[in-house]
Amino acid sequence: MINLKINGLEVSVEQGTTLLEAARFLGFPIPTLCHMEGLSPYGACRLCVVEIGEGPRAKLVSSCTYPAQEGLVVRTANERVLQARKMVLELLLASCPQSKVIQDLASAHNVRQQRFRQEHEDCILCGLCTRMCEEQMMAKAIGFRGRGETRSIGTPFDIKSEECRLCGGCIYVCPACQLRCTYTEPDKAVCGGCANLSPPCVEKENFDDMMCYMNPCVACEIDKH
Amino acid sequence: MERLTSIEDFKAMQDRLVSERDYSKPSIVIPAGTCGQASGANDLIRVTKRELLDRGLTDKIRLRITGCHGFCEAEPSVLIQPTGTFYPNVKIEQMVRIVEAVRDNQVLDDLLFVDPATGKAVEKQSDIPFFKTQVRTILARSENIDPIRIFNFIRNGGYSALAEVLGKGEPSQVVEEIKRSGLRGRGGAGFPTGAKWELLANQQNGHGKFLVCNADEGDPGAYMDRSVLEGNPHSIIEGMLIGGYATGANEGVIYVRNEYPLAIKHLLIALRQSRGFGLLGDDILGTGFSFDIKLVRGAGAFVCGEETALMRSIEGKMGEPRQRPPFPIEKGVDGKPTAINNVETWANIPLIIADGAEKFAKIGTNGNTGTKIFSLVGKIKNTGLVEVPMGITIEKVVTDIGGGASGKAKIKAVQTGGPSGGCIPAERFDLPIDYDSLAEAGSIMGSGGMIVMDETTCMVDVAKYFMSFLKDESCGKCFTCRKGIQRMHEIVEDISEGQGTLEQIDLLEELALSVKDTTMCGLGQTASNPVLSTLQYFRQEYVEHIENQRCPAGVCKALITYSINENCTGCTLCAKTCSEGAISGDKKQRHVIDSESCTRCGACVTVCKFDAVEVA
């Protein structure tokens, strides 16, 4: 067993457990887009960043890919982490404004504006679909192509794949495809109108009429100190 | 080729090679690396061969074709040994005279290098200011070695460091020696090499271990590794063999980018030769130690210089970094423990073993020992590869070795570390060049690119260039790296086109810090450095672009206009040159530029002999 400290709480987990699993086991919410149980961790969306280490060596890592290590000190929701998550969400909103999942996450994190030039790329290249296709459907029909700006997901050479069985698994897992926000507000606004109901306790003061399952809430307690 | 079956065999061969050599016989040395060949070294070689044959001088004068010596500004150059006479920028017709002069033991005064500072001719290479301040422990070796001849290398002490460690039979001592030398990884991050080797040596050796030579040198304007690979490939092989022996690894890979055809050619020849002599492969020199090296060619992605992406590329997968830990030292290529070192690091290993760790540690400063090769390019007089002791100040490199500004404009900054590095302003040129000082100043040592910029370089444009480079070269896995760099490029582009706002500068800074924080690999974590360092030291230039719609350096096309002043003599040269027909005027009359049709290409500035074209 490996012993580590998450938000001041000591926890023992099995070898090979990721920080995300450990934190969620303790009930600390960490938002994710590219993570799904049953698929291998990938670390593409960077929403799940947490801070590890101490002093000047403290750094942010993606909790979904970082393995728990003996003696590690983890903070899942301090100022630096929340600031980083907000920027990630702002970037996501700028590229993929119509995904309800992203809209909800943004409002839950109190992202109130989006300062970049609006795009409508939709795909955030989280890679859930390619992993679904490869690891669960054993098809490997789609994959990543290119790098940098021209990276995209599709079949090789954009030819209809013989491996694809039209199972729809890729569509099912896509965080950007499912549930479209219907937009009542102007293009760049983050309305937060459909704020989700999972308790975003790290932002308590902004959602103080919301129900919190933990009493006292550990995340809130830590936030106070 | 006879296989050497014992260390004694090797030593006997080395002694024979050294004793056979007549050191009084003059040699004509022509550097013909990629750079030399591009500037005409092949023609010089052809002429020299012909002359030597025609005049029957083949047994009186030796011709040696080597890799690059570093002084790019002077290519194609010729070096005469043992006198050390140096002829820069040699033309084909001059080569005949040089051959004659060597035959008659003369020096051609009119072809010698002229020191621009004093105006006097300098005969010896070692007296030229460019070479004088350098400490060329690695580069100087290339002068004596024809990279495709293993005898050349062995005669110059090659593989004797390997024979020494094999003879002692104590791998842990080798690791200790490297640790004592204080050598730090020359790829940029500066991880202590000895410590890395110790970690690898201590790994449980269940499935074999791996060594990798990272020769995927992708920084724009950097070519140190190429020069070492082309000029002295055996030194890398020897370094890796010593590394393999010290750490218990039996397999090695040299990952070299396919854009370096000459380096690949020389490496393949070197690998074949050393394998033939029993210096590589099974049972090396009859000691029972086996180590083989495979060459893997990179397919052209900058990110594959990052160690985890490089390993995936070696495995034949997409070049994409992955989470560390597990570090390569625990789980590397094909799951085997792997140590990855840069070309220059490997090239240092035989030197440390041969000369001793203490001698190596004496060069440089405490904590930053040895020499480092930089490729000094940009707006300076002497561009080229320079090898300097660590801890030397930037000032010394730029002024003493580089010879100062190439034009009239003053030098304003130095960019180190390629796209992952930052710009250091002239006020901080007293900064010693070592891993820690550069990092503290907001840049990095990197693999050794050093681009000098003067007042005609726009820092917003510099940031834009690097963002545009990284936007294409980010692997795209991490959302914040891919999209963050695109957005940074977008903002910087807006500013350079005069459409920026002051709020955008703050957003740029906020975004840059977030990208630094939230990405997985070294590329993403350092991708903001060009933006952050120019913002730190040259914020005023950004503000100038926004508030006054002016590019102080006269670079950003949207913000500048060309005009012709009263110096114009009406020579009509600019009007003839302008591809847009934007310049009009009668002969011997002052010309006028129509700023509507002018595309700001700058061709008129280049051709004007009277400094009459102004940029504002």
Side-chain angles (χ1 to χ4, degrees):
Chain A
M1 295 296 267
I2 294 166
N3 302 302
L4 67 159
K5 240 183 195 181
I6 301 181
N7 291 350
L9 282 187
E10 295 200 0
V11 58
S12 294
V13 292
E14 274 179 48
Q15 176 88 32
T17 311
T18 64
L19 295 185
L20 179 73
E21 286 161 348
R24 286 193 171 166
F25 173 72
L26 284 183
F28 295 114
I30 294 177
T32 55
L33 279 174
C34 72
H35 178 82
M36 180 170 277
E37 265 177 50
L39 299 181
S40 59
Y42 190 55
C45 75
R46 315 311 291 173
L47 258 183
C48 67
V49 284
V50 295
E51 192 183 51
I52 60 164
E54 277 171 285
R57 294 189 71 90
K59 58 175 183 178
L60 300 189
V61 297
S62 51
S63 59
C64 69
T65 54
Y66 206 91
Q69 287 173 315
E70 188 64 40
L72 203 64
V73 180
V74 185
R75 289 164 296 274
T76 66
N78 66 3
E79 189 59 37
R80 185 178 177 193
V81 170
L82 293 179
Q83 197 58 40
R85 274 188 204 147
K86 276 175 96 163
M87 182 51 87
V88 176
L89 283 164
E90 199 174 334
L91 284 167
L92 280 164
L93 274 177
S95 307
C96 184
Q98 276 174 287
S99 161
K100 187 173 173 322
V101 177
I102 292 169
Q103 284 270 345
D104 286 357
L105 277 171
S107 52
H109 282 81
N110 203 21
V111 178
R112 293 283 179 253
Q113 54 168 341
Q114 189 283 98
R115 292 165 289 177
F116 302 101
R117 205 168 291 157
Q118 190 66 57
E119 286 173 349
H120 290 274
E121 280 184 350
D122 294 347
C123 178
I124 56 165
L125 300 175
C126 68
L128 271 181
C129 54
T130 63
R131 279 174 286 152
M132 184 71 169
C133 190
E134 178 179 344
E135 293 168 15
Q136 291 295 334
M137 300 305 163
M138 311 299 167
K140 290 192 189 175
I142 51 172
F144 285 110
R145 307 168 303 185
R147 64 172 181 271
E149 209 179 14
T150 54
R151 185 174 165 104
S152 64
I153 290 175
T155 57
F157 310 107
D158 272 332
I159 300 166
K160 190 174 177 299
S161 171
E162 287 171 8
E163 306 299 325
C164 175
R165 304 189 294 272
L166 301 176
C167 71
C170 46
I171 301 170
Y172 174 74
V173 294
C174 179
C177 299
Q178 56 174 310
L179 291 177
R180 289 287 173 171
C181 170
T182 44
Y183 264 136
T184 50
E185 296 286 329
D187 211 21
K188 276 195 159 193
V190 184
C191 70
C194 44
N196 58 18
L197 284 170
S198 64
C201 65
V202 288
E203 296 278 346
K204 195 163 174 271
E205 63 275 30
N206 296 306
F207 296 87
D208 44 7
D209 53 347
M210 279 204 158
M211 189 159 53
C212 183
Y213 296 108
M214 295 177 92
N215 192 14
C217 168
V218 186
C220 303
E221 288 299 317
I222 289 155
D223 218 26
K224 269 189 216 158
H225 298 298
Chain B
M1 228 181 279
E2 200 189 323
R3 204 181 149 86
L4 303 167
T5 51
S6 70
I7 295 172
E8 290 72 40
D9 268 10
F10 169 78
K11 286 200 171 134
M13 182 174 92
Q14 189 165 44
D15 291 342
R16 198 185 71 231
L17 286 170
V18 173
S19 64
E20 273 173 4
R21 169 96 184 201
D22 175 8
Y23 285 92
S24 61
K25 206 153 90 175
S27 300
I28 297 177
V29 183
I30 302 180
T34 302
C35 44
Q37 292 190 7
S39 45
N42 280 340
D43 290 331
L44 297 186
I45 295 167
R46 199 165 35 89
V47 172
T48 314
K49 278 184 181 164
R50 194 190 63 204
E51 289 301 312
L52 291 179
L53 283 171
D54 284 358
R55 290 157 199 261
L57 294 169
T58 42
D59 47 354
K60 294 199 179 66
I61 300 174
R62 252 189 303 255
L63 168 66
R64 191 182 320 121
I65 298 149
T66 69
C68 169
H69 298 180
F71 199 2
C72 300
E73 203 66 38
E75 295 284 337
S77 62
V78 173
L79 174 69
I80 312 299
Q81 285 179 336
T83 56
T85 314
F86 180 78
Y87 298 108
N89 303 101
V90 180
K91 297 188 177 58
I92 302 179
E93 54 275 17
Q94 295 167 343
M95 197 62 225
V96 183
R97 289 181 54 209
I98 293 177
V99 174
E100 284 170 355
V102 173
R103 180 193 61 194
D104 304 336
N105 267 330
Q106 285 169 350
V107 174
L108 297 168
D109 291 329
D110 56 325
L111 296 186
L112 290 178
F113 178 81
V114 178
D115 186 351
T118 58
K120 281 190 190 138
V122 185
E123 187 201 328
K124 294 206 190 315
Q125 171 172 329
S126 50
D127 293 335
I128 294 172
F130 177 78
F131 290 103
K132 221 167 158 179
T133 322
Q134 295 188 46
V135 178
R136 302 169 74 232
T137 55
I138 296 175
L139 287 179
R141 282 187 102 191
S142 299
E143 286 169 14
N144 300 319
I145 291 164
D146 185 336
I148 59 170
R149 292 177 209 281
I150 191 171
F151 287 139
N152 243 273
F153 181 67
I154 295 177
R155 182 185 293 129
N156 284 286
Y159 289 114
S160 44
L162 173 71
E164 192 186 322
V165 299
L166 288 179
K168 277 192 189 151
E170 203 43 72
S172 59
Q173 270 183 13
V174 183
V175 175
E176 275 308 310
E177 187 85 1
I178 301 297
K179 273 175 86 176
R180 264 212 315 279
S181 75
L183 174 67
R184 293 172 73 175
R186 295 293 192 250
F191 191 83
T193 308
K196 194 186 267 186
W197 285 18
E198 192 171 38
L199 285 171
L200 185 69
N202 291 340
Q203 290 291 320
Q204 292 308 314
N205 194 359
H207 318 279
K209 298 174 194 174
F210 232 92
L211 292 183
V212 175
C213 169
N214 184 352
D216 191 60
E217 183 182 43
D219 294 2
Y223 44 96
M224 303 73 54
D225 295 352
R226 188 192 72 199
S227 150
V228 175
L229 288 172
E230 284 175 0
N232 199 354
H234 282 289
S235 69
I236 310 297
I237 298 172
E238 189 182 2
M240 289 183 77
L241 282 165
I242 295 170
Y245 183 70
T247 58
N250 295 105
E251 283 173 277
V253 161
I254 300 177
Y255 186 90
V256 55
R257 61 199 305 236
N258 211 19
E259 287 92 331
Y260 286 176
L262 191 67
I264 292 174
K265 183 178 145 195
H266 287 180
L267 270 173
L268 286 173
I269 294 171
L271 286 172
R272 201 179 60 214
Q273 286 173 337
S274 46
R275 211 171 276 134
F277 277 105
L279 291 159
L280 187 68
D282 289 332
D283 194 16
I284 291 166
L285 295 180
T287 56
F289 165 60
S290 300
F291 189 86
D292 207 357
I293 298 175
K294 201 170 70 176
L295 193 93
V296 177
R297 298 170 201 205
F302 175 70
V303 70
C304 286
E306 198 278 337
E307 58 179 12
T308 56
L310 183 143
M311 291 188 315
R312 281 178 63 97
S313 180
I314 291 174
E315 290 165 2
K317 297 180 187 139
M318 197 169 185
E320 232 172 45
R322 64 155 172 80
Q323 179 73 52
R324 295 179 308 178
F327 287 93
I329 214 84
E330 300 158 343
K331 240 181 179 175
V333 180
D334 296 329
K336 297 171 188 173
T338 302
I340 300 169
N341 285 124
N342 176 264
V343 171
E344 216 186 311
T345 317
W346 288 120
N348 269 309
I349 301 294
L351 294 175
I352 294 171
I353 300 295
D355 300 341
E358 281 69 30
K359 192 177 165 198
F360 183 87
K362 255 186 217 152
I363 310 172
T365 58
N366 207 2
N368 287 278
T369 52
T371 61
K372 174 83 191 86
I373 307 178
F374 288 96
S375 79
L376 188 62
V377 293
K379 307 276 179 70
I380 38 153
K381 285 206 184 76
N382 305 326
T383 60
L385 287 181
V386 299
E387 188 177 345
V388 288
M390 293 263 205
I392 191 174
T393 59
I394 300 178
E395 178 73 44
K396 264 202 142 100
V397 173
V398 171
T399 321
D400 295 1
I401 300 176
S406 61
K408 287 178 202 150
K410 260 176 40 197
I411 289 176
K412 133 170 121 176
V414 155
Q415 208 276 353
T416 65
S420 309
C423 299
I424 296 166
E427 305 89 77
R428 300 208 60 184
F429 275 9
D430 55 345
L431 206 69
I433 303 178
D434 59 52
Y435 294 100
D436 315 306
S437 310
L438 288 183
E440 180 266 318
S443 184
I444 58 164
M445 173 84 94
S447 58
M450 196 177 262
I451 305 169
V452 182
M453 297 160 175
D454 66 10
E455 278 165 346
T456 61
T457 316
C458 169
M459 298 320 264
V460 179
D461 191 61
V462 168
K464 188 171 95 174
Y465 167 75
F466 282 117
M467 284 309 112
S468 142
F469 177 86
L470 289 167
K471 166 167 88 88
D472 294 334
E473 291 301 337
S474 154
C475 80
K477 178 177 178 174
C478 291
F479 177 76
T480 39
C481 174
R482 182 182 74 247
K483 212 70 217 180
I485 292 171
Q486 277 179 42
R487 294 302 188 177
M488 284 196 274
H489 179 255
E490 188 180 286
I491 295 172
V492 176
E493 197 171 28
D494 273 358
I495 294 174
S496 78
E497 284 171 0
Q499 286 158 14
T501 59
L502 289 175
E503 292 77 50
Q504 269 185 315
I505 297 187
D506 298 332
L507 177 60
L508 182 66
E509 199 162 19
E510 194 185 327
L511 175 61
L513 289 169
S514 280
V515 170
K516 203 183 177 89
D517 250 3
T518 58
T519 45
M520 185 181 280
C521 79
L523 186 146
Q525 284 158 9
T526 53
S528 321
N529 280 351
V531 165
L532 285 172
S533 69
T534 48
L535 273 176
Q536 184 185 347
Y537 296 116
F538 300 97
R539 202 183 191 96
Q540 194 49 40
E541 275 192 40
Y542 281 83
V543 175
E544 191 79 356
H545 278 74
I546 294 167
E547 283 196 326
N548 301 334
Q549 297 284 304
R550 204 176 76 84
C551 175
V555 174
C556 296
K557 284 186 181 174
L559 303 181
I560 52 170
T561 47
Y562 284 82
S563 60
I564 295 177
N565 64 20
E566 65 284 349
N567 286 350
C568 179
T569 60
C571 73
T572 73
L573 196 56
C574 56
K576 282 179 196 149
T577 310
C578 182
S579 60
E580 300 300 312
I583 303 177
S584 56
D586 293 326
K587 260 189 198 167
K588 299 196 176 166
Q589 296 293 313
R590 184 166 159 185
H591 282 44
V592 183
I593 299 179
D594 172 29
S595 58
E596 285 289 299
S597 45
C598 172
T599 59
R600 284 119 178 117
C601 68
C604 46
V605 184
T606 320
V607 295
C608 184
K609 293 173 185 137
F610 308 99
D611 284 341
V613 185
E614 275 180 358
V615 187

